[in-house]
Amino acid sequence: MHTILYDNAPSDWNEGLPIGNGVFGGMCWFRNAQYHTALNHYEVYYSICERYRQKQQVQERIEETKEPPCAKYVKAAQENFRDYTKGPYRNYRKSIWPKADEVKDTPMHRGVSHPTAGEVFLTLSDKLCNPEQYRLSLDIEDAKVRLFTQREQKKLEIETCVLTSNDTLVHTVKQSEPGCVGEMSLIWPKRRNQQNFTCSFQQVDDRTFLCRASFFPWAEDRSIFPPFCFVTAIRLSDAKGELVYVGEREIRLKVKEDKKEYQIFACTVTQLQSSDPVTEVIRQLNVVESGFSDFLQKHGIYWNNFFEKSSVCLPDKFLEKLWYHSLYILNCCSGKNGRRFEQACGLNGLWDVRQPTIWGSQWYWDVNIQAAFWPVYTANHLELAEVFNEGFLAYAEDAARRAREFYHAPGYAIDYPFEFYNCIWPWCAQFLWWYYEY
């Protein structure tokens, strides 16, 4: 077993321990007697992108019957043409991505954190608010994060995982006596460029609480199209919650009637999964709660099978642990079985949970993405290579259309059309050949 351990050392969001099932996951950290789990879901995170606005999809269908979509770029290039012998001029960028010139006193890539699925944190009660001993660890092969705290004879253990067959986070709380966890909160931290994000909270019963959230994709026509919607819900099993605070972006509960062992479930459902996310999220919570032991067993079997495919033993144990950790986090955030498969894991995976994350987590087709997937072949994980290839080839039609309509040539335009994120494709196309060889 390979473990990453914080022993009597506080951690923060940028030192968090990762968990995930490919499309849903987050980061865990412990500081100031609060155990945080920042959640992320690709269907939520990527849906703010202009690529998914309804106006864009409708407009593309209209343009197909009128003129080639790239005609505006050809026209812009002709209008912006300058004689390069008279001085440098960025015609390409000005024609393809004119907004770049609008950025003046700030960096071109200012970075925005896209909407996340929320943040759950547990606040220790007075019994353990100043623990004499505490440990936060990630057991890589088990794919579980464990928190242990102790003060005198009072002990608390929290085991955290994301189920592999369901987009649900599970906290299993084990305590020497009831009441070691005082409060639980579900929040959405405020972030830049998310002024249109709204959320409202609802108490379903004394064990189930949920948040309905919505936002508009960038450049969406809000007068015509509805926002993108999703729901994140939390449920206590063998415990109850008393509502003590409801704010604009936060709901806080007092944990009561808890047993020495109980579970906390957090589940996210988007409109891509169901036209009625509220009903669906409650249904999924019911299924997970009633069959929790089976889900947990499947979780263990899945990760055991994953690490049975390959292993390393190195003289440098730090490098050995790094190998296991890197393979683990790629599987946690690969995007496998996701509905936004053309985005896959992006540049920062599921770990873009707080500002500042300069580049966001888009697909940038260059060494950034290439490096993330480099080990999957020698590590015998072609299922992860398939995720990369599916995301890569999802842009092939756009690249072929661009070559045909912008350059009037067959094949693929694999330069840097920003709106397609094709970037430097030949580097990444090498993986297609490797997959063929394997």
Side-chain angles (χ1 to χ4, degrees):
M1 177 71 69
H2 296 82
T3 301
I4 297 176
L5 173 65
Y6 291 100
D7 191 359
N8 286 320
S11 52
D12 211 332
W13 73 270
N14 56 340
E15 303 163 320
L17 300 176
I19 51 175
N21 64 8
V23 295
F24 176 70
M27 302 283 276
C28 305
W29 67 92
F30 179 73
R31 191 179 192 88
N32 298 328
Q34 290 184 329
Y35 181 41
H36 293 254
T37 307
L39 301 176
N40 216 339
H41 197 299
Y42 282 145
E43 291 178 22
V44 175
Y45 184 88
Y46 285 123
S47 291
I48 199 170
C49 297
E50 189 170 352
R51 179 185 183 90
Y52 302 112
R53 62 177 179 149
Q54 298 176 73
K55 177 181 179 181
Q56 176 81 9
Q57 297 163 10
V58 172
Q59 188 65 28
E60 285 182 354
R61 290 195 292 269
I62 295 173
E63 287 179 345
E64 287 176 0
T65 63
K66 292 185 177 180
E67 61 179 359
C70 290
K72 61 180 181 180
Y73 299 129
V74 175
K75 182 179 179 181
Q78 293 171 343
E79 293 175 349
N80 294 326
F81 177 77
R82 298 291 185 276
D83 185 351
Y84 71 92
T85 62
K86 296 181 180 180
Y89 185 76
R90 284 183 150 179
N91 189 2
Y92 184 91
R93 192 184 76 175
K94 187 174 182 63
S95 301
I96 300 297
W97 188 30
K99 290 183 180 180
D101 289 334
E102 298 175 10
V103 181
K104 297 179 180 178
D105 299 327
T106 55
M108 183 182 301
H109 300 285
R110 289 165 290 182
V112 291
S113 289
H114 299 185
T116 64
E119 186 173 311
V120 178
F121 64 87
L122 310 179
T123 303
L124 305 190
S125 68
D126 293 339
K127 298 179 180 181
L128 282 170
C129 63
N130 294 305
E132 300 167 348
Q133 183 181 4
Y134 59 94
R135 296 190 303 271
L136 182 68
S137 63
L138 166 64
D139 295 328
I140 295 174
E141 284 88 336
D142 281 349
K144 293 179 180 178
V145 172
R146 293 179 169 91
L147 172 68
F148 172 81
T149 64
Q150 181 176 358
R151 181 181 178 185
E152 298 176 345
Q153 301 302 314
K154 301 178 181 65
K155 299 180 182 179
L156 170 68
E157 296 181 45
I158 302 177
E159 182 181 273
T160 304
C161 68
V162 170
L163 300 179
T164 55
S165 53
N166 188 286
D167 293 342
T168 302
L169 167 88
V170 182
H171 287 313
T172 297
V173 180
K174 300 177 182 179
Q175 49 193 351
S176 58
E177 60 183 67
C180 288
V181 177
E183 293 185 341
M184 176 176 62
S185 300
L186 176 63
I187 67 169
W188 271 267
K190 287 189 176 182
R191 308 189 178 185
R192 294 177 300 175
N193 298 337
Q194 290 187 22
Q195 293 84 354
N196 62 15
F197 182 93
T198 61
C199 57
S200 60
F201 298 95
Q202 175 185 344
Q203 178 175 351
V204 179
D205 52 41
D206 56 7
R207 299 190 307 118
T208 309
F209 304 81
L210 60 83
C211 173
R212 307 169 190 241
S214 65
F215 56 86
F216 287 93
W218 294 327
E220 183 67 277
D221 188 339
R222 304 181 192 181
S223 64
I224 300 177
F225 300 104
F228 181 86
C229 302
F230 70 96
V231 173
T232 294
I234 53 178
R235 170 173 292 178
L236 295 92
S237 181
D238 291 326
K240 294 181 180 180
E242 178 184 342
L243 197 61
V244 296
Y245 175 78
V246 178
E248 181 184 1
R249 288 178 174 240
E250 177 183 0
I251 184 172
R252 192 183 313 145
L253 317 172
K254 180 180 180 181
V255 179
K256 62 178 187 178
E257 298 183 33
D258 52 321
K259 297 182 180 180
K260 285 189 174 182
E261 180 173 340
Y262 64 95
Q263 280 78 39
I264 299 171
F265 304 102
C267 181
T268 296
V269 172
T270 77
Q271 68 179 44
L272 300 181
Q273 302 173 41
S274 172
S275 58
D276 186 356
V278 172
T279 300
E280 178 60 19
V281 78
I282 293 175
R283 185 195 71 80
Q284 290 195 27
L285 287 172
N286 292 337
V287 170
V288 171
E289 184 179 22
S290 61
F292 174 60
S293 59
D294 291 335
F295 279 102
L296 199 59
Q297 184 179 19
K298 291 177 181 177
H299 173 88
I301 293 173
Y302 171 84
W303 282 102
N304 182 68
N305 292 339
F306 178 82
F307 281 108
E308 277 189 345
K309 290 185 176 182
S310 60
S311 62
V312 297
C313 183
L314 303 175
D316 188 328
K317 294 306 175 183
F318 174 80
L319 289 180
E320 179 179 310
K321 185 183 295 186
L322 186 62
W323 185 90
Y324 279 91
H325 181 250
S326 298
L327 198 59
Y328 163 76
I329 61 175
L330 178 59
N331 194 46
C332 283
C333 70
S334 67
K336 62 181 182 296
N337 303 320
R339 292 176 176 82
R340 297 293 193 215
F341 68 92
E342 65 275 12
Q343 299 290 355
C345 77
L347 189 59
N348 291 292
L350 293 165
W351 325 133
D352 182 10
V353 295
R354 290 284 183 92
Q355 288 282 0
T357 304
I358 289 259
W359 292 96
S361 194
Q362 300 283 14
W363 263 125
Y364 292 97
W365 293 104
D366 52 23
V367 71
N368 295 295
I369 296 301
Q370 189 183 26
F373 285 84
W374 217 303
V376 301
Y377 299 93
T378 55
N380 193 30
H381 284 285
L382 293 188
E383 78 280 6
L384 295 179
E386 291 172 358
V387 174
F388 178 92
N389 294 341
E390 289 175 2
F392 183 84
L393 294 174
Y395 291 83
E397 182 180 345
D398 290 335
R401 185 180 65 183
R402 184 177 194 83
R404 182 175 62 252
E405 298 172 354
F406 192 79
Y407 296 106
H408 305 289
Y412 299 99
I414 53 178
D415 48 357
Y416 197 111
F418 186 81
E419 73 281 12
F420 298 151
Y421 295 99
N422 291 358
C423 206
I424 310 168
W425 266 33
W427 296 2
C428 298
Q430 181 185 33
F431 284 172
L432 299 178
W433 177 252
W434 283 4
Y435 185 81
Y436 170 76
E437 286 188 318
Y438 276 82

